[in-house]
Amino acid sequence: MLIKVSWVIGSLVGVLPVGAGFGMAEWVVLNTVTVGMAAIGTALALALVRPWGMRIPGALVAFCAWVGSGFLVSILPFAGLGLVDVLRDAGGGSGGGGADPAMPVWEGVLVQFSFLGMGLGLALAVPAHMRRRWPEAFTGRVGDGGPRAAPPWEAVVGAALGVVWLLWGLGGARGIAHPAERNTDWYVLEAISGCWALAGSAAVWAVARARPARLPRWLPLVFGWVGSGSLFAWSGWKLPLTLYLAWARPAGIRLPENLAVASALHVCAVVAGAAMLRTLVRTRVGAPAGRSAT
């Protein structure tokens, strides 16, 4: 949060450069939004582990934890690789943090370490908080509840998105407008997003259909939670940027994907991710008659 504050103030007073492809207004707005996200993340981290966090409305804590997990837990392998790359640059005496020559190495290390540390922290603190708050939702097996629900449409949509992103991560070119803009980070992130979309879809399908019946309840909850959060959080973040690029066409910034295709995929991902969470929360599993285990 403090780094992003310094970026905003430094760019306004002219001592730090504006990011490539951005005007002053866009750069300040983008980083001000991330300052707010970092502040919410700091408050969430405390709420998950301090006693007063149990007094905050459960829906608010759960929503923030879901979005945060979707952002950071889902990309832990990528964040770890990013930290290794930045440390390697530091050891080699590189003057910049990764691909951004304006970022000092120490700053790149701190940013990458914060992503990795927060992701690992959420992976431990979120399930611990949820089990304290709603223990009945994590007990029993998938087939312990009432009658099976209809096949969830959101799992089908999520699986389709996962196939597209996974194919892109493996080098597929359908829907790609600028192949030369793809790099290693892009391939890895697309593959990770595809895998989590498929995992989340399979988990939601299992919970809704109560199959396989002997599967421990907590297992699809974990994959459904992170997978649906990844769909909602990352596409919710990328959609405004994609729409902005389609409208403003700024020089120096170009996505590999066709912007219309990318926008449609992100809209579907946001809707499907939210619907997946609703299915996970509302499904009666292991609860007495007349009571919903949410």
Side-chain angles (χ1 to χ4, degrees), residues 189-190 193 233-243 257 266:
L189 284 174
E190 292 298 321
S193 297
W234 279 109
S235 284
W237 172 258
K238 292 177 180 179
L239 179 59
L241 176 61
T242 304
L243 294 176
E257 310 96 294
H266 293 323

Side-chain angles (χ1 to χ4, degrees), residues 149-163:
W153 62 265
E154 63 269 22
V156 177
V157 173
L161 292 167
V163 169

Side-chain angles (χ1 to χ4, degrees), residues 210-226:
R211 296 175 182 172
R214 301 304 299 165
L215 186 68
R217 165 74 170 163
W218 65 267
L219 192 58
L221 279 181
V222 168
F223 285 96
W225 176 270
V226 178

Side-chain angles (χ1 to χ4, degrees), residues 189-287:
L189 284 174
E190 292 298 321
I192 289 175
S193 297
C195 289
W196 275 115
L198 291 171
S201 298
V204 170
W205 184 281
V207 169
R209 299 295 291 161
R211 296 175 182 172
R214 301 304 299 165
L215 186 68
R217 165 74 170 163
W218 65 267
L219 192 58
L221 279 181
V222 168
F223 285 96
W225 176 270
V226 178
S228 62
S230 177
L231 283 169
F232 182 88
W234 279 109
S235 284
W237 172 258
K238 292 177 180 179
L239 179 59
L241 176 61
T242 304
L243 294 176
Y244 166 74
L245 294 179
W247 169 70
R249 302 286 179 178
I253 298 182
R254 193 165 64 173
L255 295 180
E257 310 96 294
N258 177 286
L259 295 181
V261 172
S263 298
L265 293 177
H266 293 323
V267 169
C268 291
V270 170
V271 174
M276 284 183 183
L277 179 65
R278 183 176 183 271
T279 297
L280 292 173
V281 169
R282 292 174 63 91
T283 302
R284 281 181 70 246
V285 176

